[in-house]
Amino acid sequence: MSKPQSPRQDTDVESSTAAASTIDIEHVPVNDDPRQWSPARKTTTLCIVSLATMVSALASNIQNPSNSLIEVDLHATSSQISWTLAAFLVIQGNFPLLWSAASEIKGRKPVYLVASALFVVGSAALALSKTIEVMIGMRALQAAGSCAAMAISAATLADIYDTHERGSTMGIFFAAPLLGPALGPMLGGSLSQAFNWRASFYFMLICAAIVFLSFLFLFKDTYRRERSLTYCFALQRLLTSKERVQNSNESIIAEHESSKDQTPVKDTEKQLKPLDVPDHISAVISTPGLEDVKLSIKDINPFPPYFRILSRKNNVLILIANGIIFGFSYSLSYTCSRTLAHAYDYNAFSVGLVLLCLGIGSIAGSVIGGRWSDRVLVKMMEANGGKWYAEMRLESSKLAMLWLPLSVIGYAWVCEKHVNVAVICVMLVLIGFTSIWMYTGTLAYLVDANPGCSCTAVAANSSFRGSLAFVSIMIAVPLQDALGDGWLYSVWAGVLVATELLVLLVLCKGESWRRESEEHK
């Protein structure tokens, strides 16, 4: 990767080169640079956050095989059981916005610890629940605690790995939360059959405690405030506020003259562009008084950074694409379970074994797709004279785009005709492999395209995918009953084709859109 140039040097360089060279926030000198840590320390960090995300994902659907048992034991209605699932999805999808904002002020480790503690409390309360109302509330608490790992882990990896390494590490990392949903139904069904429905939540309690202890004793904070735009904004607000106080007793004329060189607090974040950080920012951040920056309600407000992410067309289109892919996966696993139970008369454990095929394909697609993403990026950088731009990452997704809709159509009519379950297993492997191959590249692109804001970008991604997954689950059963698996997933194949077109549009236009958004800041 080419070394970043100063803003003065950028004035005479092509705009595309300037966009690449002004990403200085990622390379501001810091003490104990996480990117210079030993491979052992980096691997330990990767394993801890991967474990946390796997457990978080496992919590999302381990309850499913036990729903009928819970309904009988707690005298609950089907609607109330649905709310236990819906509450988890909505909170898990949108609460990360708060966790990500807090982590950009206080660091990754404190947020991991607080969230993991909530995860432990929520899991314990679920195992001891006596009423369905308590269970709904505790599922929400469990989701709030578990989702921090989903929100911050990708940003943690961005802290310790440079751009050319992120595809492979994102692929390995993302295999963990894919393994959770794959194993969840099988584990939940096995524990419920061997003991009772509460055993699943006791199991989650043990897992949550292990995650908490791992962060407490083994995890070293990767966060460096010098490389966080959110922290830069908070510091800039503090410095500006102090300057305004110091100048408050000056004459009107002097105040008028000095105001030309000052930045109003409300305009600070607009003028400090996410992709155009001044060269002197590291010097400003390292000045005395840095410790005076305190976390405030304004600083942890997740919506300003969230809206900054959404202000860029390239981000919005990728977020929509990722949300659709994630929603499709939830719809697929949900309706496939119903088809296997009704048409094939499978019990919960057998259904879990079949759905494991989707997980196996997803894990393979994540790991192999991540490595392919890095390989494509390196080759494109070499062809571009060693310079890069974020959209290069999306080039690797094109390989999977042809096969994903075809695999979905194949699955649709295999299920519709109730052919041998072995064929369904093959289709699930292909769908998991191709969909996550594409998703890995688009997720890495969000991190690359939002330097200094990667945590917020990943949290926005979580919000989109959680919300769309919620919608897809709510409409899955009515559509399946009305259309059947064949036409339902033929329609989904068309939606995925449109999704792929969104990704290709960002590949072609994303660089110019980012440059345009910078010019309007």
Side-chain angles (χ1 to χ4, degrees):
M1 184 185 306
S2 60
K3 294 183 179 180
Q5 300 175 4
S6 68
R8 292 182 298 273
Q9 291 173 314
D10 287 344
T11 56
D12 298 325
V13 184
E14 292 294 331
S15 57
S16 62
T17 304
S21 62
T22 55
I23 306 177
D24 296 337
I25 193 71
E26 291 268 2
H27 302 93
V28 170
V30 295
N31 293 326
D32 191 19
D33 191 343
R35 292 179 188 166
Q36 302 301 320
W37 286 353
S38 67
R41 170 61 68 181
K42 289 185 177 182
T43 301
T44 299
T45 302
L46 175 61
C47 290
I48 292 173
V49 298
S50 296
L51 172 65
T53 53
M54 183 185 73
V55 172
S56 176
L58 184 64
S60 66
N61 66 352
I62 196 172
Q63 171 193 328
N64 290 342
S66 309
N67 285 336
S68 59
L69 299 177
I70 297 171
E71 187 173 343
V72 172
D73 189 36
L74 299 184
H75 307 290
T77 65
S78 299
S79 176
Q80 289 173 321
I81 293 295
S82 297
W83 268 109
T84 64
L85 304 174
F88 190 95
L89 275 177
V90 170
I91 297 298
Q92 190 185 56
N94 292 282
F95 209 81
L97 293 172
L98 179 59
W99 289 132
S100 65
S103 75
E104 294 291 348
I105 299 292
K106 289 299 186 182
R108 316 294 189 214
K109 185 168 183 174
V111 174
Y112 279 133
L113 290 175
V114 172
S116 298
L118 292 179
F119 192 9
V120 171
V121 173
S123 299
L126 279 166
L128 300 172
S129 295
K130 300 298 183 181
T131 66
I132 191 63
E133 291 79 12
V134 171
M135 188 172 183
I136 292 173
M138 290 304 99
R139 278 291 275 175
L141 181 63
Q142 187 189 47
S146 65
C147 69
M150 292 289 194
I152 307 173
S153 293
T156 300
L157 298 184
D159 293 338
I160 62 176
Y161 292 105
D162 221 328
T163 306
H164 65 281
E165 304 172 295
R166 287 178 190 161
S168 297
T169 55
M170 284 289 184
I172 296 172
F173 154 74
F174 198 65
L178 292 172
L179 185 61
L183 295 178
M186 186 174 64
L187 286 173
S190 300
L191 291 170
S192 296
Q193 289 178 10
F195 303 100
N196 57 45
W197 66 267
R198 298 181 188 275
S200 298
F201 296 112
Y202 280 118
F203 177 76
M204 293 310 309
L205 173 60
I206 295 172
C207 292
I210 292 173
V211 169
F212 176 82
L213 294 175
S214 298
F215 281 123
L216 181 62
F217 294 112
L218 300 178
F219 182 80
K220 184 177 181 180
D221 204 337
T222 63
Y223 173 73
R224 296 296 180 267
R225 54 193 176 187
E226 296 90 342
R227 292 177 176 174
S228 169
L229 285 176
T230 302
Y231 195 90
C232 291
F233 296 153
L235 177 61
Q236 190 72 14
R237 281 193 295 267
L238 175 65
L239 297 179
T240 302
S241 177
K242 287 183 176 181
E243 289 176 2
R244 294 180 68 185
V245 171
Q246 292 171 357
N247 294 329
S248 61
N249 294 325
E250 294 182 359
S251 65
I252 297 178
I253 296 177
E255 184 177 358
H256 176 71
E257 292 297 324
S258 63
S259 64
K260 296 179 180 179
D261 297 326
Q262 292 181 351
T263 303
V265 175
K266 65 181 180 180
D267 293 333
T268 298
E269 296 187 9
K270 292 182 180 180
Q271 295 192 20
L272 188 56
K273 302 175 185 178
L275 291 182
D276 190 12
V277 181
D279 284 344
H280 61 270
I281 193 66
S282 59
V284 172
I285 293 177
S286 62
T287 56
L290 180 62
E291 64 277 3
D292 293 335
V293 178
K294 302 297 183 181
L295 184 65
S296 69
I297 296 298
K298 185 175 182 179
D299 293 327
I300 66 172
N301 182 359
F303 295 106
Y306 179 70
F307 290 139
R308 282 198 297 274
I309 295 295
L310 296 186
S311 67
R312 298 191 171 194
K313 289 182 285 187
N314 61 302
N315 287 340
V316 171
L317 294 186
I318 293 298
L319 289 170
I320 292 173
N322 285 352
I324 291 174
I325 293 173
F326 201 76
F328 161 74
S329 297
Y330 263 86
S331 175
L332 177 66
S333 59
Y334 190 20
T335 57
C336 184
S337 298
R338 296 183 78 238
T339 298
L340 292 172
H342 297 159
Y344 292 82
D345 198 26
Y346 277 18
N347 60 28
F349 180 75
S350 298
V351 169
L353 285 178
V354 174
L355 291 180
L356 186 60
C357 296
L358 180 64
I360 291 173
S362 299
I363 293 169
S366 181
V367 175
I368 298 174
R371 291 185 177 276
W372 178 258
S373 176
D374 280 346
R375 181 178 179 182
V376 170
L377 180 62
V378 170
K379 287 187 175 180
M380 292 189 69
M381 286 174 59
E382 291 175 352
N384 198 37
K387 297 180 177 64
W388 80 288
Y389 52 91
E391 285 69 28
M392 287 180 176
R393 180 73 69 183
L394 298 176
E395 188 71 28
S396 62
S397 299
K398 292 167 66 175
L399 188 60
M401 288 183 179
L402 174 63
W403 302 105
L404 176 57
L406 295 178
S407 300
V408 174
I409 292 175
Y411 167 83
W413 295 102
V414 162
C415 281
E416 182 70 21
K417 301 301 182 182
H418 301 158
V419 301
N420 190 286
V421 72
V423 183
I424 294 179
C425 291
V426 172
M427 292 297 104
L428 289 175
V429 170
L430 290 176
I431 291 173
F433 184 82
T434 53
S435 63
I436 301 305
W437 179 300
M438 189 167 71
Y439 184 87
T440 300
T442 54
L443 180 62
Y445 168 77
L446 280 177
V447 175
D448 291 345
N450 296 279
C453 303
S454 57
C455 193
T456 303
V458 174
N461 184 70
S462 178
S463 176
F464 268 69
R465 74 180 192 178
S467 299
L468 289 174
F470 172 79
V471 172
S472 69
I473 286 178
M474 291 297 101
I475 66 174
V477 173
L479 289 178
Q480 185 183 33
D481 291 340
L483 302 176
D485 286 315
W487 286 111
L488 171 60
Y489 285 97
S490 294
V491 171
W492 263 116
V495 172
L496 291 172
V497 169
T499 300
E500 293 173 348
L501 293 177
L502 294 181
V503 176
L504 293 175
L505 184 59
V506 175
L507 177 61
C508 296
K509 299 290 188 178
E511 184 183 9
S512 62
W513 285 343
R514 287 188 294 110
R515 187 165 60 246
E516 178 183 342
S517 65
E518 293 164 29
E519 293 172 352
H520 285 81
K521 289 289 184 178

